[in-house]
Amino acid sequence: MTQDEMKRAVASAARDYVAAHLPAGAILGVGTGSTANYFIDEIATIKERLGGAVASSEATRVRLESHGIRVLDLNDVEEMEIYVDGADEIDGGMAMIKGGGGALTREKIVAAVAKTFVCICDESKQVTTLGRFPLPVEVIPMARAQVARELGKLGGVAKLREGFITDNGNLILDVHGLTITQPVALETQIDGIVGVVTSGLFARRGADVLLLATARGVVSRTRAAL
Ligand code: 5RP
């Protein structure tokens, strides 16, 4: 199976998960990226079940609406049962690096509201230790250089993502060279740097369910089983 075929397979498995676990009329949170895009195409087939969706990016909002799926403002949503999103890396404790597509802040906000975070990815994203994928950090533009220096003190080399502005009007620093053995502590440290909006470390609120596409099919793991 190619990586693309695995993304399609896990998107289809996630559609089945939603059909089985989302109460009729409930709100679904939807992530961003190529795997999430396949998932959006899949849930178009069960859109009558959804009370609506909350999008984690403008790109996701546009794709959901192109399928006739109603997109809600998060401020109008009190409860969200399930959030489904991809990841750039996921470790054995269900902590993730996200933000390859630059949507990390909205993704983290929507994930914070959801009762269950379902991570969908292919097996190339599974790692023992997070950090080979450069860690995206969203920063307020005027703080870019200062935040880059602070990230350097943590052992990383921060590079500006050239020509990229987030949906929130900010910049992304991609931090290379980190070996993340304490993801919760590092997330707290980075998110506490003045000028940082959010880091792409999703450890304090990791995934609850992992649907992982492998060459032998899609396997599922839950945080409760760790
Ligand atoms: C976007 C993300 C994506 O979930 C992550 O980059 C994975 O993307 P893909 O499914 O295209 O591999 O965090 O900000």
Side-chain angles (χ1 to χ4, degrees):
M1 254 206 253
T2 65
Q3 187 180 32
D4 205 54
E5 286 167 340
M6 285 196 270
K7 288 182 180 189
R8 286 175 190 270
V10 80
S12 166
R15 189 267 325 272
D16 294 346
Y17 181 95
V18 168
H21 293 91
L22 190 79
I27 308 300
L28 178 68
V30 183
T32 297
S34 56
T35 316
N37 280 344
Y38 286 134
F39 172 67
I40 294 167
D41 299 344
E42 288 283 344
I43 54 166
T45 62
I46 55 164
K47 64 183 177 191
E48 290 73 24
R49 278 189 63 89
L50 309 178
V54 173
S56 61
S57 65
E58 284 305 305
T60 288
R61 180 187 61 75
V62 168
R63 198 171 184 105
L64 285 164
E65 288 180 343
S66 77
H67 285 297
I69 296 170
R70 188 161 73 108
V71 177
L72 303 169
D73 184 323
L74 184 62
N75 290 304
D76 298 326
V77 170
E78 272 184 37
E79 282 200 333
M80 185 187 302
E81 293 296 323
I82 298 174
Y83 176 60
V84 178
D85 198 357
D88 299 300
E89 286 186 348
I90 183 162
D91 72 11
M94 306 280 251
M96 296 163 283
I97 287 182
K98 293 185 42 55
L104 56 158
T105 298
R106 294 190 186 192
E107 291 172 341
K108 202 176 270 194
I109 293 168
V110 182
V113 177
K115 290 184 191 158
T116 302
F117 186 139
V118 179
C119 175
I120 54 171
C121 58
D122 64 83
E123 60 189 350
S124 70
K125 309 289 185 71
Q126 206 173 29
V127 299
T128 306
T129 307
L130 299 170
R132 193 185 55 211
F133 189 92
L135 177 67
V137 178
E138 180 164 349
V139 297
I140 301 290
M142 72 172 288
R144 170 181 51 81
Q146 167 64 5
V147 171
R149 284 190 290 270
E150 291 298 314
L151 292 168
K153 291 179 194 167
L154 299 177
V157 177
K159 293 190 180 155
L160 178 67
R161 196 177 293 185
E162 295 288 346
F164 187 86
I165 304 287
T166 70
D167 285 346
N168 313 307
N170 297 313
L171 303 174
I172 297 283
L173 293 173
D174 290 305
V175 189
H176 297 249
L178 295 172
T179 302
I180 305 172
T181 53
Q182 306 284 338
V184 170
L186 189 66
E187 181 181 1
T188 302
Q189 214 169 356
I190 294 178
D191 286 4
I193 297 172
V194 173
V196 166
V197 180
T198 334
S199 76
L201 255 179
F202 285 56
R204 288 177 296 195
R205 201 276 187 263
D208 302 300
V209 175
L210 169 63
L211 298 177
L212 184 75
T214 74
R216 299 160 307 286
V218 177
V219 296
S220 125
R221 278 180 51 207
T222 61
R223 178 189 280 278
L226 292 181

